[in-house]
Amino acid sequence: MTQIVPVRHLFGPGPCNPYPEATAALGLPLLGHLDPAFIARMDRTCEGLRTLWGTENKRTLPLSGTGSAGMEASFVNTVKAGDVAVIAVNGLFGERMCEVASRAGAEVVRVDHEYGTPVDAQRVAEAHPNPTVIAAVHAETSTGVISDIAALGAIKGDALLIMDAVTSIGGMPVLADEWGVDVAYAGTQKCIGVAPGLAPFTISDRAFERRVQKPQSWYLDLGLLGGYATGGTGGGRTYHHTAPVAMVASLEAGIDRILAEGLDNVAVRHQAAGKALQDGLEEMGLTLFAAEGHRLPQLTTVYVPEGVDSDKVRGYLLERFNIEIGGGVGKYASTVWRIGLMGPNANPASVVLLLSALKEAIAKA
């Protein structure tokens, strides 16, 4: 019996609805992962990712796995037992960085911030005199806050700077080289507008030269992956694993879609949609969660009104309007909503639909 899959408006923290071009590319004829035609596609995709990352790093590629694989690759290749990792924590994904780094054997020095506030670079600089790595989230998905990564690049000293850009890449300016970022990872399922399954990743020559030579993860060993994605010492591709060839085709199409519109135009579109949503929520009498001046346009956090059941509202939106929004995380699970306008969803029609549906849901759920 064929199951009918509902068509949802994915207005939560991710995944978002993909760009149509990215979806269509999943149906292209399948290629082998060492086929010359696929290698050309991979090369083109990597070049497009360099543009999105704002980098010239040779080792820029889509890792086979979600954004969490990118996070793990970042740490297992840069820290080993006893190395110091200073990690700024202002949300769930900073917390997760600490967990991953500790599993790699690092001595983790947390720099905790109140949820809803940006990272304070000066506090990070004062946390340890000589860390191996400094890490922070650019756009914290759990709280809807953007942090100044360039400020961390200015104080990193000899440390490698690791950036989580899962929610920022493809939706707002990301300038890895200019900001002094050494290692960065993201996911495909947010502003890039592609289904989840790949982790856009970049690592500088400086970081690659200092990498852990035999990390605990064979699958995420960048020394091996570098030969697979960009060629071995002899110039040819070396077999590492079977790439998700259809996902790479979809990512290539998603990047092409973004670049055809223009990165600046895409950023303006996300900014306008986010501001319109946030203004509309405040006009409804709701209170935004993230600190003013540091709010992400593509991921809005808003307090659930007093006396309103968060889960009932979310259920009403899903059943009545096919709209998905997210709950908060941790102690904010039932008191904050997370609303995403990412990729193709960052448009005026989405804002109008969301605000009218949410108003009804609050009144009737």
Side-chain angles (χ1 to χ4, degrees), residues 58-360:
K58 174 183 178 184
R59 297 172 183 87
T60 299
L61 70 157
L63 298 182
S64 302
T66 59
S68 294
M71 180 187 297
E72 189 147 351
S74 297
F75 287 100
V76 300
N77 285 279
T78 58
V79 294
K80 57 186 183 301
D83 287 345
V84 175
V86 171
I87 300 177
V89 178
N90 67 335
L92 172 65
F93 293 97
E95 299 263 5
R96 195 166 292 178
M97 280 181 161
C98 293
E99 173 69 14
V100 173
S102 67
R103 290 187 181 213
E107 175 191 337
V108 174
V109 178
R110 291 174 56 123
V111 185
D112 286 292
H113 299 68
E114 183 180 353
Y115 276 28
T117 65
V119 170
D120 183 334
Q122 188 59 38
R123 290 185 55 216
V124 173
E126 294 169 354
H128 193 278
N130 189 33
T132 303
V133 301
I134 293 172
V137 179
H138 183 213
E140 178 54 78
T141 315
S142 65
T143 63
V145 169
I146 184 170
S147 292
D148 185 354
I149 299 299
L152 294 175
I155 58 89
K156 72 176 183 178
D158 190 50
L160 299 176
L161 178 57
I162 298 174
M163 173 178 67
D164 174 322
V166 171
T167 300
S168 52
I169 192 170
M172 65 195 318
V174 174
L175 303 170
D177 288 356
E178 182 178 319
W179 295 346
V181 173
D182 293 285
V183 182
Y185 61 89
T188 50
Q189 73 275 17
K190 302 203 180 186
C191 294
I192 292 179
V194 175
L198 293 173
F201 186 89
T202 189
I203 181 169
S204 68
D205 287 344
R206 174 176 179 260
F208 189 76
E209 290 165 3
R210 290 166 53 174
R211 74 188 186 280
V212 177
Q213 291 299 313
K214 193 171 183 179
Q216 62 180 359
S217 173
W218 175 90
Y219 189 68
L220 297 173
D221 182 339
L222 293 175
L224 300 176
L225 286 169
Y228 167 73
T230 60
T233 55
R237 299 305 165 98
T238 56
Y239 171 71
H240 180 260
H241 69 279
T242 301
V245 292
M247 278 300 304
V248 174
S250 185
L251 176 57
E252 177 190 37
I255 293 171
D256 284 349
R257 165 64 179 77
I258 290 170
L259 297 183
E261 183 176 351
L263 277 177
D264 290 344
N265 293 331
V266 170
V268 168
R269 174 164 58 81
H270 280 80
Q271 181 66 40
K275 187 178 188 309
L277 174 64
Q278 291 165 12
D279 288 349
L281 291 170
E282 290 188 312
E283 288 171 7
M284 288 171 57
L286 303 184
T287 302
L288 300 179
F289 176 77
E292 187 173 359
H294 303 280
R295 292 167 182 158
L296 288 173
Q298 63 267 46
L299 194 286
T300 295
T301 46
V302 59
Y303 282 105
V304 178
E306 188 75 26
V308 172
D309 187 309
S310 171
D311 288 341
K312 285 184 178 179
V313 168
R314 292 174 60 209
Y316 186 94
L317 288 172
L318 198 65
E319 182 177 348
R320 176 77 173 84
F321 296 103
N322 276 311
I323 290 176
E324 175 185 280
I325 66 171
V329 299
K331 67 179 182 179
Y332 300 104
S334 62
T335 57
V336 168
W337 288 315
R338 292 184 294 158
I339 305 174
L341 290 177
M342 297 180 278
N345 294 341
N347 64 68
S350 295
V351 176
V352 172
L353 174 60
L354 262 167
L355 291 173
S356 60
L358 184 59
K359 185 175 182 179
E360 179 179 319

